[in-house]
Amino acid sequence: MARIWVTPLHGRIPYDEPALRRLFEVHRVTPQLQKLFTHWYLPLCAWHERAGIAPARLSSLLKFLHRVDLARPDIPENQVLAELRGSVEAGDRCWVMDARVLAHALSLRATAHGSTTEPPKGDTDDE
């Protein structure tokens, strides 16, 4: 049975844990990207779509986020961040699915909170 999470701010988000685990295995995403997807991006998508997210869309949303994360700049551009702030202030939700703007949002998030998808220092076997 699929678990659905509903909040007043967001729409429906399908959190079927076995299905998400299989999805993450198939796409070979890191635990950090898994967390970013489930805790940050899915709620944004639910806010963007309002009617909720169909479980069939999870794969395409994960692939989109993964591609955007790979393309994110090291340092976000001020012009794009100003555009993002303007969209948020105006209540425009389109930036959630705009790869260019989302890449800069991820870059800002990484700058403010550490890397979004890389393991913290000391959590790898290379050291």
Side-chain angles (χ1 to χ4, degrees):
M1 173 104 180
R3 199 169 85 196
I4 304 289
W5 179 53
V6 181
T7 68
L9 175 63
H10 305 114
R12 298 169 141 304
I13 302 173
Y15 280 113
D16 179 3
E17 291 177 24
L20 279 176
R21 273 197 307 272
R22 282 191 303 278
L23 181 69
F24 295 148
E25 287 172 7
V26 166
H27 293 285
R28 298 184 188 128
V29 295
T30 64
Q32 293 78 20
L33 186 62
Q34 293 174 25
K35 185 175 180 181
L36 180 69
F37 181 70
T38 56
H39 293 106
W40 187 76
Y41 192 62
L42 278 182
L44 281 175
C45 288
W47 172 70
H48 172 261
E49 297 187 16
R50 287 190 174 175
I53 300 169
R57 291 226 31 235
L58 291 176
S59 179
S60 63
L61 291 172
L62 179 61
K63 284 189 262 186
F64 177 73
L65 179 65
H66 187 65
R67 283 193 305 267
V68 166
D69 185 59
L70 290 174
R72 75 179 156 98
D74 291 332
I75 300 170
E77 294 177 18
N78 289 332
Q79 179 183 355
V80 179
L81 293 179
E83 182 182 329
L84 172 60
R85 284 183 189 98
S87 294
V88 170
E89 288 171 1
D92 181 7
R93 296 173 170 92
C94 292
W95 67 270
V96 173
M97 296 306 293
D98 182 329
R100 179 182 63 89
V101 176
L102 187 61
H104 286 270
L106 286 174
S107 181
L108 178 65
R109 188 175 193 279
T111 302
H113 303 290
S115 177
T116 57
T117 57
E118 294 299 317
K121 298 245 187 279
D123 284 1
T124 61
D125 294 332
D126 324 357
E127 297 181 25

